[in-house]
C-alpha cells in the first residue's frame, strides 16, 4: 500500500526513521511535511508537540483522510498519551512509544488486539491499549528515508538532528525523554552513525546536531562518561561535515569531563547548551534536575576554561516557582553573562510529573494563570508571561555582546510571552480534560 509519513512543518528524524523502516519492509513510501495524503492509501502522522492535538488543521486532516476511506495512524512523542490522541484526533490507531517494531505490521495487518504497541477505540468507543511493544533495537536498523529538501531545513541552525543514542539517566519532572525512551542509554554503533551521516550529506545536509537527551551520554554504560566514545562520535561527524557544521547541544552540567569539553572545542562549533532551567536550588529540587546551582556555576566556569561559549535554557512559571526563585534565576543569568539564553514557560507535557503537579495546583496559585501585578501590569500579562518577558530582556542586557532592546524586539518578546502563556494554558486545559479530577 502506498504510504506517506507526515511530520508537520519539520522533517523530524523520527519520521525519517519510520519512513526508512516502512521502505525496507517493501512498501512504497514518501515523506512529507504538508498535511496532504495525495495518492497514499495510508497516512502515518508523526506528531511531536501536544499543540498538534489541538490544531484545527491537524484535526480536519485526520478526519478527511478517514472520510476518504484511507487509514490514518498517529505516532511520535504524543503517543505517550494515546487516550488524548484518540480523543482529540480519532485516528484509526496510535502507534505507542517507539514505533519501529509495530508500524509495518500495522500497515500490513491492520488494527488488532494481538498487535503489541498500539491503542485504538473499539466499537463501543472505549480505548483499547495493547501490551507495550519491546524497545526498538538501535543497532542494525533501517537507514532513514531522507527527503530531497532536507538541506534547506533549519532547526535551531541544523538541517537535521542525528540520533546517536536513546534514553537519559535524568528524571526531570517536565521532560518526556526518560519516560519515552527509558533511563538506560542505548547507543548506536559508530559505523552506522557514520554511514547515516554520509547518506544525509549526499542528500544535501551540511549542518547537523547530535540528538539524544544528553549528548555526552553516547556510549555510557551506566557508570561513567565514555570519553573515548564521545570523542570518536564528534570526530566522525566533524570529518563528514567539518567542525563548524556540527553542534552537540543539550548537555547536563553533571555529564562533563575535560576530554568531552576538549572534543566539543575541537570537533564542533564550540558551544555548550545547558538545560539550567532555574537559578533556585529549591526549584531545581522540585524539578528533579539532580544538580545544584553551584554545579551550574562550576560547569560554566569549566566550559569557559576550555574556550567554549555557553548557552542556557531556562524554564519560568513552574507551578511552585516563587518571586524569590525567579529573582534567583535572574541573578544567575546576570552573574554568568551567558552567550545565549533560551526561555520557556513551563509546559506540562501529559503524563509527566509536572503535569501531575499542574493538576494539583489551583489556577489561582499557578503562575500561568495568576495576573501579573508588578512592573508590567499595564501589559496585562500573567505572572509566567511577565517572567518570560522580563528574563528575555534581562538576558539581553547581560550577554557579552551588546543587544539593544529596540521597540521591535520589545514587541517580539511581548508577542512570544503571550503566545507561550496561551499555549501552556491550552495544554493545561487538555490535561484537565483527560486526567483532571
Ligand atoms: S537531563 Fe535533559 S533529557 Fe534528561 S531528563 Fe533532564 S531535561 Fe530530559
Amino acid at each position: 500500500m502506498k504510504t506517506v509519513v507526515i511530520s508537520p512543518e519539520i522533517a523530524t528524524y523520527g519520521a525519517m526513521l519510520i519512513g526508512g523502516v516502512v521502505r525496507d519492509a517493501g512498501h512504497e513510501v514518501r515523506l512529507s511535511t504538508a498535511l496532504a495524503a495525495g495518492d497514499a492509501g495510508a497516512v502515518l502522522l508523526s506528531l511531536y508537540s501536544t499543540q498538534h492535538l489541538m490544531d484545527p488543521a491537524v484535526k480536519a486532516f485526520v478526519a478527511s483522510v478517514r472520510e476518504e476511506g484511507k487509514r490514518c495512524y498517529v505516532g511520535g512523542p504524543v503517543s505517550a498519551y494515546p487516550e488524548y490522541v484518540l480523543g482529540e484526533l480519532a485516528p484509526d490507531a496510535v502507534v505507542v512509544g517507539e514505533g519501529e517494531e509495530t508500524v509495518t505490521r500495522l500497515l500490513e495487518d491492520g488494527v488488532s488486539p494481538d498487535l503489541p504497541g498500539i491503542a485504538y477505540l473499539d466499537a463501543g468507543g472505549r480505548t483499547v491499549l495493547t501490551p507495550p511493544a519491546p524497545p526498538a533495537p538501535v543497532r542494525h536498523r533501517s537507514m532513514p528515508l531522507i527527503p530531497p529538501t532536507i538541506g534547506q531545513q533549519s532547526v535551531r541552525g541544523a538541517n537535521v538532528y542525528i540520533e546517536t543514542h536513546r534514553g537519559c539517566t535524568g528524571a526531570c519532572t517536565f521532560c518526556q525523554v526518560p519516560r519515552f525512551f527509558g533511563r538506560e542509554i542505548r547507543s548506536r554503533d559508530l559505523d552506522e552513525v557514520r554511514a547515516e551521516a554520509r547518506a544525509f550529506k549526499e542528500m544535501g545536509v551540511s549542518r547537523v546536531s547530535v540528538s539524544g537527551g544528553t549528548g555526552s551520554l553516547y556510549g555510557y554504560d551506566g557508570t561513567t562518561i565514555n570519553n573515548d566514545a564521545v570523542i570518536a562520535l564528534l570526530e566522525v561527524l566533524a570529518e563528514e561535515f567539518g567542525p563548524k557544521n556540527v553542534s552537540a547541544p543539550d548537555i547536563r552540567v553533571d555529564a562533563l569531563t575535560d576530554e568531552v569539553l576538549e572534543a566539543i572545542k575541537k570537533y564542533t562549533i564550540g558551544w555548550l547548551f545547558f538545560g539550567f532551567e532555574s537559578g533556585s536550588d529549591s526549584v531545581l529540587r522540585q524539578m528533579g534536575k539532580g544538580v545544584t546551582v553551584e554545579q551550574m556555576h562550576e560547569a560554566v566556569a569549566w566550559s569557559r576554561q576550555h574556550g567554549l561559549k555557553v548557552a542556557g535554557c531556562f524554564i519560568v512559571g513552574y507551578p511552585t516557582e516563587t518571586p524569590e526563585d525567579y529573582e534567583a534565576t535572574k541573578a544567575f543569568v546576570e552573574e554568568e553573562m551567558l552567550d545565549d539564553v533560551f526561555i520557556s514557560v513551563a509546559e506540562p507535557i501529559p503524563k509527566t510529573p509536572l503535569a501531575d503537579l499542574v493538576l494539583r495546583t489551583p489556577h489561582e496559585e499557578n503562575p500561568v494563570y495568576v495576573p501579573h501585578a508588578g512592573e508590567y501590569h499595564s501589559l496585562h500579562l500573567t505572572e509566567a508571561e511577565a517572567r518570560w518577558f522580563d528574563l528575555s530582556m534581562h538576558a539581553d542586557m547581560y550577554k557579552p555582546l551588546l543587544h539593544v532592546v529596540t521597540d521591535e524586539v520589545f514587541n517580539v518578546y511581548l508577542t512570544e510571552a503571550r503566545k507561550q502563556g496561551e499555549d501552556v494554558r491550552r495544554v493545561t486545559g487538555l490535561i484537565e480534560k483527560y486526567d483532571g479530577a
Side-chain angles (χ1 to χ4, degrees):
M1 183 188 306
K2 283 187 181 174
T3 301
V4 59
V5 182
I6 299 174
S7 54
E9 293 166 32
I10 299 166
T12 61
Y13 184 88
M16 289 188 260
L17 180 57
I18 290 296
V21 169
V22 173
R23 174 202 58 212
D24 290 354
H27 297 270
E28 189 177 332
V29 58
R30 63 186 170 82
L31 213 73
S32 176
T33 55
L35 294 171
D39 62 353
V43 172
L44 297 172
L45 190 54
S46 181
L47 301 180
Y48 49 86
S49 164
T50 313
Q51 300 293 333
H52 288 141
L53 302 184
M54 296 170 283
D55 184 336
V58 174
K59 288 187 188 212
F61 174 65
V62 174
S64 73
V65 169
R66 298 198 68 196
E67 272 163 30
E68 288 171 30
K70 300 176 175 182
R71 289 193 263 153
C72 184
Y73 304 122
V74 173
V78 301
S79 71
Y81 27 101
E83 65 275 37
Y84 289 49
V85 183
L86 292 168
E88 295 303 303
L89 301 180
D92 288 281
V94 179
V95 179
V96 178
E98 300 178 35
E100 292 100 309
E101 301 288 296
T102 308
V103 73
T104 313
R105 285 184 62 192
L106 187 57
L107 284 173
E108 290 168 358
D109 304 333
V111 173
S112 157
D114 300 325
L115 177 60
I118 63 168
Y120 59 94
L121 296 176
D122 68 10
R126 290 175 295 265
T127 297
V128 177
L129 195 58
T130 65
V138 294
R139 295 190 163 95
H140 312 305
R141 71 185 190 192
S142 293
M143 291 276 268
L145 177 67
I146 306 170
T149 51
I150 192 73
Q152 286 123 52
Q153 176 165 284
S154 176
V155 182
R156 279 166 69 182
N159 301 130
V160 66
Y161 283 61
I162 295 184
E163 185 180 69
T164 57
H165 57 287
R166 287 187 174 175
C168 180
T169 53
C172 306
T173 56
F174 52 84
C175 179
Q176 198 181 19
V177 171
R179 290 158 192 98
F180 199 89
F181 290 121
R183 294 185 71 183
E184 189 185 325
I185 306 300
R186 290 172 284 148
S187 299
R188 300 182 63 201
D189 281 343
L190 189 56
D191 285 347
E192 293 184 33
V193 174
R194 185 200 302 269
E196 195 172 286
R198 287 187 178 155
F200 275 117
K201 196 162 118 182
E202 278 166 20
M203 292 297 285
V205 164
S206 58
R207 293 174 68 86
V208 297
S209 267
V210 171
S211 147
T214 283
S216 58
L217 291 180
Y218 178 70
Y220 183 75
D221 64 1
T223 51
T224 51
I225 300 295
N226 188 335
N227 289 322
D228 291 346
V230 178
I231 293 166
L233 170 70
L234 296 179
E235 188 176 8
V236 157
L237 293 176
E239 277 168 11
E240 295 302 326
F241 299 100
K244 290 202 163 18
N245 295 309
V246 176
S247 62
D250 305 331
I251 293 193
R252 281 181 65 96
V253 300
D254 60 353
L256 297 177
T257 63
D258 276 316
E259 291 83 352
V260 164
L261 290 169
E262 213 37 51
I264 290 172
K265 173 76 178 164
K266 190 169 172 189
Y267 298 121
T268 80
I269 56 172
W271 280 72
L272 274 159
F273 298 79
F274 290 122
F276 293 126
E277 325 305 0
S278 174
S280 153
D281 276 321
S282 163
V283 172
L284 291 175
R285 259 194 313 278
Q286 292 167 58
M287 286 178 171
K289 279 300 292 185
V291 299
T292 62
V293 175
E294 191 182 340
Q295 283 174 289
M296 287 160 41
H297 283 300
E298 286 167 4
V300 176
W302 197 3
S303 305
R304 287 186 167 146
Q305 279 164 19
H306 283 264
L308 295 162
K309 291 194 182 280
V310 179
C313 300
F314 294 89
I315 290 174
V316 293
Y318 200 76
T320 50
E321 183 187 61
T322 64
E324 293 72 30
D325 293 324
Y326 172 66
E327 287 303 320
T329 298
K330 277 181 82 170
F332 182 86
V333 167
E334 200 174 308
E335 189 172 340
E336 290 299 353
M337 297 189 70
L338 300 167
D339 296 285
D340 210 349
V341 169
F342 303 90
I343 308 161
S344 308
V345 171
E347 176 176 328
I349 297 175
K351 307 296 180 189
T352 59
L354 172 57
D356 294 340
L357 175 61
V358 165
L359 286 172
R360 294 195 305 272
T361 307
H363 285 196
E364 52 278 18
E365 293 172 21
N366 185 338
V368 173
Y369 290 91
V370 173
H372 172 69
E375 188 181 351
Y376 307 110
H377 69 277
S378 61
L379 298 174
H380 304 294
L381 300 171
T382 65
E383 193 51 43
E385 291 163 1
R387 288 177 194 173
W388 190 97
F389 181 70
D390 183 59
L391 191 59
S392 298
M393 294 202 296
H394 193 72
D396 275 356
M397 273 169 51
Y398 286 94
K399 280 177 188 159
L401 294 175
L402 181 66
H403 288 251
V404 180
V405 179
T406 59
D407 283 354
E408 193 186 347
V409 171
F410 182 96
N411 286 327
V412 167
Y413 285 166
L414 191 55
T415 303
E416 180 62 20
R418 288 184 172 133
K419 180 181 179 303
Q420 291 227 3
E422 184 56 33
D423 284 351
V424 171
R425 284 189 292 279
R426 276 156 45 92
V427 172
T428 304
L430 198 67
I431 61 173
E432 287 170 346
K433 177 176 169 183
Y434 287 93
D435 285 323

